[in-house]
Amino acid sequence: MIDDAMRDEWYPVGLFSRLDRDGRETTLMGGPIKVALDANGAAKVTGENGRVLPVSVRYGHIWSSLGEPKKPVFPIPEADQPGRRFVDVGVVRVRCSPLRAVENFLDIAHFPFVHTDILGSEPHTEVEDYKVEIREEEDEVWATQVKFYQPQAAKSASGGITTEYMYRVPAPTCSVLYKTCPPRPGEWDVIALFVQPLAEDLCDVWPWMALFDDETPLTDLIHFQQTIFLQDRSILENQIPRLLPLDPSMEIPTRADLTSVAYRRWLKRHNYTYGAQLVAQ
């Protein structure tokens, strides 16, 4: 069952650069939709019985909704910053809750064990204290002052460094990561995860990057990010329960899980429950 709160949100449904007049048939929250170009070359999304759905094009992606979004697609200011390289990574299908996919993206502690010798390595497994808050004015979850040693923080990195992170959750199935930019200290690399909920336990994940990196070949940038997420997929598809538990008694968090705790609390506050398990079974 789709709650009204999530029905009225924006969701990614395709890459604008790959769209043509024939269109792309896909699914949004259990219902079939078609994404195509109209006669004027603009994106058009239709649902069941030919119902025309809301459309927005941001960050190279087409966004749509089964309801009536109350506000535009969330802003990423870096998307308008000159000199950045924008990378559409493509799509990865994952048999898990769309909320699980976002929460995994927020998890720092798994780096040494899942992304060994890339985003983390033993014995550097400790997650240092960091700050988490729900920013009331923006109505977003933020984690700041996150620091972690990484053997290869980015494709442009030439060796291991202590990387600083900021995590932001501006929408129930999207997250934005800001991390140390190796070639340009003082700036942040931006990696976003846009998740399309196909069903409560199935999603398409669309990673997107805004980088200061003019040297690395595009295929290498895409391959690096896809490698990371394919490592995550094997973990996500074996999590039990498949839906994201919102009952605090179902999973016991550790000190490293502060962002997850805040994310789940924020979801419950807004009744964002599509893809969630509300009570223990």
Side-chain angles (χ1 to χ4, degrees):
M1 180 177 178
I2 308 173
D3 59 84
D4 289 339
M6 288 191 71
R7 181 185 292 274
D8 290 336
E9 292 289 326
W10 290 105
Y11 299 99
V13 294
L15 282 170
F16 187 79
S17 62
R18 298 185 185 177
L19 200 58
D20 56 28
R21 296 286 290 275
D22 292 333
R24 172 178 186 260
E25 294 185 353
T26 181
T27 305
L28 182 59
M29 303 177 87
I33 64 171
K34 184 173 182 178
V35 188
L37 294 178
D38 65 17
N40 297 317
K44 180 180 180 180
V45 181
T46 52
E48 293 184 272
N49 301 318
R51 181 167 72 98
V52 177
L53 301 178
V55 174
S56 181
V57 179
R58 289 293 284 152
Y59 321 124
H61 291 74
I62 301 160
W63 300 73
S64 191
S65 174
L66 296 181
E68 299 179 1
K70 305 295 191 295
K71 54 188 177 181
V73 175
F74 56 88
I76 302 178
E78 290 77 13
D80 301 315
Q81 187 176 6
R84 284 191 180 269
R85 189 175 184 185
F86 305 117
V87 182
D88 299 324
V89 179
V91 63
V92 178
R93 179 156 296 181
V94 188
R95 294 191 175 279
C96 76
S97 159
L99 306 181
R100 280 281 198 194
V102 172
E103 185 182 67
N104 178 79
F105 188 68
L106 303 173
D107 179 36
I108 311 153
H110 78 285
F111 286 172
F113 310 105
V114 179
H115 308 300
T116 308
D117 297 329
I118 303 176
L119 299 185
S121 65
E122 298 185 75
H124 306 282
T125 60
E126 182 181 1
V127 178
E128 300 179 14
D129 290 339
Y130 61 96
K131 181 180 179 182
V132 177
E133 60 183 327
I134 298 176
R135 296 186 179 178
E136 300 296 338
E137 183 175 351
E138 296 89 350
D139 192 19
E140 297 180 353
V141 180
W142 278 79
T144 57
Q145 301 174 24
V146 181
K147 296 182 179 179
F148 209 82
Y149 174 81
Q150 298 186 319
Q152 188 176 8
K155 188 63 181 176
S156 59
S158 57
I161 60 172
T162 297
T163 305
E164 184 171 357
Y165 280 72
M166 295 191 297
Y167 287 94
R168 170 190 173 206
V169 182
T173 68
C174 296
S175 184
V176 183
L177 165 65
Y178 302 86
K179 62 186 296 187
T180 301
C181 177
R184 192 178 294 200
E187 294 283 1
W188 298 93
D189 277 342
V190 178
I191 302 174
L193 202 70
F194 307 142
V195 182
Q196 175 185 351
L198 304 175
E200 289 203 83
D201 58 357
L202 182 68
C203 58
D204 276 348
V205 179
W206 304 85
W208 174 84
M209 300 187 290
L211 313 174
F212 284 112
D213 182 350
D214 295 325
E215 298 182 1
T216 306
L218 180 62
T219 52
D220 289 354
L221 290 171
I222 293 174
H223 178 73
F224 180 82
Q225 199 60 34
Q226 287 182 338
T227 297
I228 297 298
F229 199 80
L230 288 173
Q231 291 173 339
D232 284 321
R233 184 168 69 175
S234 63
I235 303 300
L236 282 166
E237 294 191 336
N238 287 284
Q239 286 184 313
I240 299 175
R242 190 176 293 272
L243 303 186
L244 180 70
L246 295 187
D247 183 340
S249 67
M250 294 181 63
E251 293 181 346
I252 300 175
T254 67
R255 182 171 57 87
D257 297 324
L258 291 175
T259 313
S260 171
V261 171
Y263 174 55
R264 295 186 188 196
R265 188 167 68 244
W266 181 77
L267 291 172
K268 289 182 68 176
R269 173 194 290 188
H270 291 290
N271 197 33
Y272 291 145
T273 57
Y274 188 82
Q277 183 170 322
L278 300 180
V279 294
Q281 296 180 350

